[in-house]
Amino acid sequence: MSRSLLNNIHLNLAALFAPLPLMLAFSSGLYLLGARDIVGTTTVQISADKRLDFDSTTLQADVENTRNGTGVSHKFEYIKHKKLE
């Protein structure tokens, strides 16, 4: 293998992999400056006449209906529940 061929292979591989550490440095800098996703928890108190059945197959629709009645307009990805004893 000639020296120029090795040099071309090296430069092509470097061109492919150079964006990865640059993106890492850029995203880390943004994170340190405070530009990060904010994930929060919202506890919603519902009235005693409304009950949620956590074993229901329509739990997500039930939660959306309850949420609409309380004036909360947050979107949610999943429902985390625990049984109070």
Side-chain angles (χ1 to χ4, degrees):
M1 236 187 254
S2 69
R3 181 180 171 120
S4 64
L5 179 62
L6 285 175
N7 198 15
N8 278 337
I9 291 172
H10 176 264
L11 290 176
N12 285 324
L13 287 175
L16 287 174
F17 291 112
L20 295 174
L22 293 175
M23 286 189 304
L24 179 69
F26 181 72
S27 64
S28 298
L30 288 176
Y31 182 80
L32 290 174
L33 291 174
R36 55 185 81 135
D37 290 338
I38 297 173
V39 177
T41 301
T42 303
T43 303
V44 178
Q45 299 293 329
I46 58 174
S47 62
D49 61 333
K50 293 184 181 180
R51 305 214 85 175
L52 291 175
D53 180 18
F54 291 110
D55 296 325
S56 172
T57 58
T58 59
L59 178 61
Q60 186 165 351
D62 297 342
V63 169
E64 287 177 0
N65 289 336
T66 304
R67 180 194 62 183
N68 291 338
T70 59
V72 176
S73 62
H74 296 298
K75 294 181 181 178
F76 56 90
E77 294 179 10
Y78 62 91
I79 300 168
K80 180 178 178 182
H81 64 278
K82 61 182 176 181
K83 294 184 180 182
L84 300 176
E85 298 179 58

